[in-house]
Amino acid sequence: MHCPFCRYSDSRVVDSRTSDDGLAIRRRRQCPECGRRFSTTETASLSVVKRSGVAEPFSRDKIVAGVRKACQGRPVTDGDLAQLAQRVEENLRATGASQLDANDIGLAILPELRQLDEVAYLRFASVYQAFDNLDDFEAAIAQLRSEDADRATNVD
Ligand SMILES: [Zn+2]
């Protein structure tokens, strides 16, 4: 890793620590040439390609922010949102893909959000799947109802 200050081609690790969630390692490094210190973060690569074509690192915070809007006024806690984002990340990592597009993220969120709150699920789906009329809502609600009925039948 090049020194970001003087571009020297080597650096020395002076400290490593694992982040609280265990998904990243942060290292403090020192440049043997200019003596300045800087930090690097190492994570298993998981990036999201936006519609614009720009890739950015996967962010649980962005999942939470996106879902939080759909959960306004609903009985959903910050803890629920954090757990949802964690499960979404685990499911995405389990696919083994290192690069995802925004669509994959939305698809991974939908089933988790549905388990959390059906109203929030419908709101999120309406934005994500670009519902543009009542028929789209009716179709989504009908699907929820029929799947709920299936589950009820299976329990019997
Ligand atoms: Zn340097």
Side-chain angles (χ1 to χ4, degrees):
M1 171 105 203
H2 288 248
C3 169
F5 302 106
C6 72
R7 315 300 301 166
Y8 186 71
S9 64
D10 196 13
S11 60
R12 192 166 61 85
V13 175
V14 292
D15 184 42
S16 289
R17 59 186 61 176
T18 305
S19 63
D20 291 339
D21 60 11
L23 291 173
I25 292 175
R26 189 160 176 271
R27 298 186 204 282
R28 286 294 286 163
R29 294 172 178 269
Q30 184 168 33
C31 173
E33 183 67 16
C34 71
R36 294 169 93 166
R37 291 187 171 204
F38 55 98
S39 297
T40 54
T41 305
E42 181 180 304
T43 55
S45 172
L46 186 62
S47 58
V48 181
V49 181
K50 299 199 290 185
R51 281 179 233 285
S52 60
V54 177
E56 61 179 30
F58 175 86
S59 158
R60 262 195 230 178
D61 290 345
K62 286 198 174 158
I63 302 280
V64 169
V67 173
R68 189 190 299 278
K69 275 184 237 158
C71 293
Q72 258 177 13
R74 302 298 304 164
V76 173
T77 65
D78 285 350
D80 292 335
L81 292 176
Q83 275 181 17
L84 177 142
Q86 184 179 339
R87 281 199 302 272
V88 167
E89 177 171 0
E90 285 167 359
N91 291 343
L92 290 169
R93 286 191 186 277
T95 66
S98 62
Q99 208 169 60
L100 306 154
D101 60 35
N103 199 42
D104 296 326
I105 310 285
L107 284 175
I109 290 172
L110 283 169
E112 298 294 340
L113 185 54
R114 184 180 160 179
Q115 290 200 347
L116 195 59
D117 189 284
E118 288 188 337
V119 171
Y121 164 83
L122 277 176
R123 286 178 183 158
F124 185 86
S126 73
V127 174
Y128 166 68
Q129 294 173 325
F131 289 8
D132 56 14
N133 57 44
L134 286 177
D135 290 346
D136 289 340
F137 276 97
E138 269 179 5
I141 291 168
Q143 194 187 354
L144 279 176
R145 289 223 165 102
S146 75
E147 288 171 21
D148 282 350
D150 283 350
R151 270 192 299 213
T153 314
N154 291 340
V155 169
D156 299 339

